[in-house]
Amino acid sequence: MEQILAGAGPFGGAGPSGGRAPAGTLMGRLSGRLRGGREEERAARERLAALERTARALEGSLAEERRRLEESEDDRRKAEAHLMALLKEARADSAAARREAADLKEKLKEAEAAGPGTAGEGRGPDEERARSEALEAAVGRLEGEVSGRDDEIRRLKARLATLEASRAREQEAARGETSMVVSEMASVPRTLDDVLTLAERAWPERLLVLGSAHDAARAWSGRDLDRPWRALCAVAECLWPLHFVEGSADEAGEFASRTGFRFTPTESFTVSTMPRLREARTFPWEGRRTYMPAHVAVTGGSGDSNIRMHLCFDEEGRRIVVGHLGRHLPNTLT
């Protein structure tokens, strides 16, 4: 027994007086370790139970989101069918109004050519004038209706395009692409290039980021990553639908009012015609060099604190091509 308990009290090990500690002390230590082990096991079981509860809650949330998505998809199909019916009706009414307007114009021309007092009609000048005025008023009314129908058709087309784009986004989300982007993130973006890569992966159907943009982002040494990220979100979520869905006549104004960022579709005449400055805004894309004067003012300031994003629109692929994201490119003042 002394050999087993060597080093503990009188049976082994040094006690307070240099001798061996009593066997009770060793048993107390062993009992303490056992209690500690049981407490750790209990804590682990509690953590496991908490994780299981969290997993069940997440599964319930996922099922609820899927149900809502299915209901949303059904509502969208009904809305699209209703809009298509309205569009068909508007087109038919517009065509009928155009035909009626054309017929009335032709009758008006005939009445003007016949002149007042034509034999067989028995109408005087005042009656003919009143008839012509009535015809002109009817033509004006019908032309106004035609114009209104045309505007309604354009609005309906834009609404349909918006619904289709929204459905495509939700279908992509339903397949877990956004979750995949987040789950594959090793860490929070720490560089401008990381932010650019995250945006590229989050909106692959809307953003095409060129190697020149990644090069510029890697060369940037600033620290403000919030503004560039919000600018990329604004381009993907606002500028893209403005250009490809809504067909806005004032993209710059609408973009600024909705996002707070300034979008400029062109450069000055000097920048566009001076070879050095134009070349700085020309980037390789699909085997050719493309001039990209359109840009978003991401930040202000000077040096690395002044960030610009240069881009162009890929009409065929329905994407926004980002050629530069980084330090303000040279201009007439630099």
Side-chain angles (χ1 to χ4, degrees), residues 2 15 72 74 76 79 84 102 110 120 147 153 176 190 193 202 205 247 251 255 311:
E2 285 184 313
S72 175
D74 184 58
R76 184 174 292 103
M84 287 299 295
E110 292 175 359
S147 177
I153 287 172
R190 291 185 172 87
D193 192 39
E205 76 286 357
E251 290 179 352
F255 183 74
L311 54 89

Side-chain angles (χ1 to χ4, degrees), residues 62-74:
L62 180 59
E64 176 65 17
E65 288 301 320
R66 285 175 176 167
R67 184 188 63 79
R68 290 173 56 191
L69 181 61
E70 290 173 358
E71 292 178 354
S72 175
E73 181 67 19
D74 184 58

Side-chain angles (χ1 to χ4, degrees), residues 169-238:
R169 285 197 304 272
E170 291 196 9
Q171 287 174 343
E172 294 295 330
R175 288 197 291 267
E177 292 192 0
T178 301
S179 298
M180 184 65 69
V181 170
V182 174
S183 65
E184 291 180 356
M185 288 174 56
S187 62
V188 174
R190 291 185 172 87
T191 67
L192 184 59
D193 192 39
D194 290 342
V195 169
L196 188 57
T197 299
L198 179 59
E200 182 181 20
R201 294 172 59 194
W203 294 284
E205 76 286 357
R206 296 190 176 191
L207 298 181
L208 174 62
V209 180
L210 302 183
S212 54
H214 283 291
D215 291 341
R218 282 191 288 269
W220 183 75
S221 59
R223 295 183 178 180
D224 180 11
L225 299 180
D226 178 64
R227 289 280 298 181
W229 170 248
R230 289 196 286 122
L232 285 163
C233 293
V235 167
E237 295 292 339
C238 180

Side-chain angles (χ1 to χ4, degrees), residues 65-310:
E65 288 301 320
R66 285 175 176 167
R67 184 188 63 79
R68 290 173 56 191
L69 181 61
E70 290 173 358
E71 292 178 354
S72 175
E73 181 67 19
D74 184 58
D75 291 342
R76 184 174 292 103
R77 281 195 296 268
K78 291 178 182 178
E80 287 181 359
H82 179 63
L83 286 172
M84 287 299 295
L86 289 176
L87 179 58
K88 185 177 180 180
E89 180 184 352
R91 284 174 174 168
D93 291 347
S94 180
R98 286 182 186 276
R99 287 193 299 271
E100 187 176 353
D103 291 343
L104 286 174
K105 280 185 176 180
E106 188 63 29
K107 290 180 180 179
L108 181 60
K109 289 180 181 178
E110 292 175 359
E112 290 175 346
T118 302
E121 293 189 3
R123 288 191 292 267
D126 292 340
E127 188 178 354
E128 284 293 341
R129 189 179 303 110
R131 183 172 179 272
S132 295
E133 290 175 353
L135 286 171
E136 288 178 352
V139 168
R141 175 180 58 79
L142 287 171
E143 287 182 339
E145 289 181 4
V146 168
S147 177
R149 288 296 185 180
D150 286 344
D151 291 341
E152 185 178 358
I153 287 172
R154 283 192 291 271
R155 287 194 299 270
L156 289 172
K157 284 182 176 178
R159 177 60 178 158
L160 281 172
T162 301
L163 284 170
E164 290 172 356
S166 176
R167 180 176 60 182
R169 285 197 304 272
E170 291 196 9
Q171 287 174 343
E172 294 295 330
R175 288 197 291 267
E177 292 192 0
T178 301
S179 298
M180 184 65 69
V181 170
V182 174
S183 65
E184 291 180 356
M185 288 174 56
S187 62
V188 174
R190 291 185 172 87
T191 67
L192 184 59
D193 192 39
D194 290 342
V195 169
L196 188 57
T197 299
L198 179 59
E200 182 181 20
R201 294 172 59 194
W203 294 284
E205 76 286 357
R206 296 190 176 191
L207 298 181
L208 174 62
V209 180
L210 302 183
S212 54
H214 283 291
D215 291 341
R218 282 191 288 269
W220 183 75
S221 59
R223 295 183 178 180
D224 180 11
L225 299 180
D226 178 64
R227 289 280 298 181
W229 170 248
R230 289 196 286 122
L232 285 163
C233 293
V235 167
E237 295 292 339
C238 180
L239 186 58
W240 188 90
L242 277 174
H243 186 85
F244 291 109
V245 178
E246 300 177 29
S248 174
D250 183 20
E251 290 179 352
E254 286 292 328
F255 183 74
S257 65
R258 297 183 192 182
T259 68
F261 287 97
R262 189 178 79 250
F263 170 63
T264 307
T266 60
E267 289 280 16
S268 67
F269 175 79
T270 304
V271 170
S272 298
T273 55
M274 187 175 293
R276 176 179 66 88
L277 301 181
R278 184 183 178 90
E279 178 61 23
R281 292 157 176 79
T282 302
F283 310 101
W285 173 40
E286 293 187 342
R288 65 182 186 275
R289 294 188 63 77
T290 303
Y291 178 51
M292 299 186 187
H295 59 277
V296 174
V298 179
T299 61
S302 60
D304 272 343
S305 65
N306 194 356
I307 306 174
R308 291 292 182 272
M309 183 193 315
H310 281 260

